[in-house]
Amino acid sequence: MVTIRDVAKAAGVSVATVSRVLNETGYVHEDTRNTVNEMIKQLNYSPNEVARSLYTKKSRLIGLLLPDITNPFFPLLARGVEDEMRLHDYRLIFGNTDEDAEKEQDYIQTFQQNNVIGLISMTNTLSKKVYQDLSIPVVFLDRTSSGYPSVFADGKEGGKLAAMEMVKRGSKRITLIKGPGHLQTAVDRFQGALEVLSTSDINFYVMSTTSFSFKDAETWAKDLFEKYPDTDGVIASNDIVATAVIHEALRIGKKIPEEVQVIGFDDVPHSSLLFPPLSTIRQPGYEMGKEAAQLLIKLMKNEKLQKKNIQLPVTFINRDTTRKVDEHV
């Protein structure tokens, strides 16, 4: 690994001179600066960004808060953020909060200590005041916020789509799994589906849950079929819960989609690899991440925002956990 000492030796200057060139501090003769930059290029030297930021109080570091890194949808968002940030020569520091307010606060403090110049948050467990007290721009991703720029998918339309597709495919006793009530995105999905089911000539049940996590999904899937054994259609709060529902339905001998249809939400990468492959509402996670990064970059450059809140469309992905219908009828 090339160090700053290697660059100094190759350029025939002191380490302090290389440091001044890198950090743009102090006087360095133009010829010397050109020589140092040429050696940096030849040796492919990459400075330690964190150490550099601590020294200069400036950085190219961006903080990114994820609510649950085990949920495959959030790394999809994060990849979109990372790819866009790297195009503009920024680097990310990740924090996984587990929707825990104390962890969220700790990571924000860590970001501040490392002189991040912007923050993208996929979690909003903390009060608005915590974010208002920050001296750096903030963008919320997959979360809605009236006070901050945000990027999110059209959850209400997604809920409507899921309900309409389920009804169209013949389910008569549908269980609607309501996601965490403290997340507006989950509430939007639920309200959209509820709006359609309430005006349809079918019976439906509502099952409330408190998170999107793997650890709880299996329990909820078992509870669903114990409480509502006649369910012939499930609209899940996300793909993780939908996966647990598929496993439980098959375990107790129900045929999918003949006896039970299942629709998820997100379209995470593994959804197409399940057996049977999961029908779901696709949120454009990667594109959402890129949009959030672009918003933050504009804020950091003090550019005027054309749109403060960006809502991306959702689509129904028809796979094998729903029955086929003749779309031309």
Side-chain angles (χ1 to χ4, degrees), residues 258-297:
E258 294 85 356
E259 295 177 298
V260 180
Q261 299 190 91
V262 182
I263 295 178
F265 205 106
D266 284 339
D267 195 27
V268 297
H270 81 263
S271 296
S272 62
L273 302 177
L274 296 173
F275 183 78
L278 176 64
S279 296
T280 187
I281 303 298
R282 180 181 185 271
Q283 292 195 94
Y286 181 80
E287 292 81 1
M288 289 164 64
K290 289 179 71 69
E291 288 280 359
Q294 291 167 9
L295 266 185
L296 186 60
I297 289 169

Side-chain angles (χ1 to χ4, degrees), residues 7 14 17 23 34 40 50 65 76 84-85 95-96 106 111 122 131 147 159-160 165 167 266 268 286 291 294 317 322:
V7 175
S14 68
T17 298
N23 298 313
N34 290 338
I40 288 172
V50 172
L65 284 173
L76 188 63
E84 186 65 25
M85 284 299 181
N96 176 56
D106 286 346
F111 292 161
M122 302 182 206
Y131 288 96
K160 287 181 179 180
E165 294 293 344
V167 171
D266 284 339
V268 297
Y286 181 80
E291 288 280 359
Q294 291 167 9
I317 305 298
T322 46

Side-chain angles (χ1 to χ4, degrees), residues 5-178:
R5 294 184 183 279
D6 297 325
V7 175
K9 183 177 179 181
V13 298
S14 68
V15 170
T17 298
V18 177
S19 179
R20 286 197 293 271
V21 172
L22 288 169
N23 298 313
E24 299 179 358
T25 58
Y27 173 75
V28 179
H29 191 277
E30 189 65 25
D31 290 342
T32 303
R33 185 181 300 277
N34 290 338
T35 300
V36 170
N37 283 327
E38 181 60 29
M39 289 304 102
I40 288 172
K41 185 177 179 181
Q42 285 186 20
L43 296 173
N44 196 27
Y45 171 67
S46 179
N48 184 317
E49 192 64 44
V50 172
R52 184 177 174 183
S53 71
L54 292 173
Y55 176 73
T56 64
K57 302 303 180 185
K58 297 179 182 178
S59 79
R60 305 286 291 179
L61 298 173
I62 306 299
L64 180 63
L65 284 173
L66 288 77
D68 180 7
I69 202 168
T70 65
N71 183 329
F73 181 62
F74 296 117
L76 188 63
L77 292 167
R79 185 55 187 263
V81 173
E82 181 189 28
D83 285 355
E84 186 65 25
M85 284 299 181
R86 286 189 67 87
L87 287 177
H88 298 271
D89 199 30
Y90 294 103
R91 300 295 182 266
L92 298 184
I93 303 179
F94 292 84
N96 176 56
T97 72
D98 291 319
E99 292 285 9
D100 180 283
E102 186 174 344
K103 286 187 71 175
E104 187 174 352
Q105 180 71 73
D106 286 346
Y107 272 118
I108 288 175
Q109 290 175 352
T110 299
F111 292 161
Q112 289 176 303
Q113 289 165 1
N114 286 280
N115 298 303
V116 300
I117 56 174
L119 173 63
I120 294 178
S121 178
M122 302 182 206
T123 179
N124 50 8
T125 308
L126 297 175
S127 67
K128 290 182 180 179
K129 188 177 185 305
V130 173
Y131 288 96
Q132 289 170 351
D133 289 344
L134 295 177
S135 59
I136 57 175
V138 177
V139 170
F140 282 100
L141 175 56
D142 193 41
R143 299 289 184 268
T144 55
S145 173
S146 57
Y148 289 92
S150 56
V151 178
F152 51 94
D154 191 347
K156 189 169 185 179
E157 179 62 21
K160 287 181 179 180
L161 275 176
M164 288 189 292
E165 294 293 344
M166 189 68 80
V167 171
K168 182 166 68 175
R169 285 164 168 72
S171 286
K172 299 294 184 183
R173 297 173 301 281
I174 297 170
T175 297
L176 172 57
I177 301 180
K178 181 181 179 182

Side-chain angles (χ1 to χ4, degrees), residues 64 225 235 246 250 263 313:
L64 180 63
F225 288 110
I235 300 174
I246 291 171
L250 295 175
I263 295 178

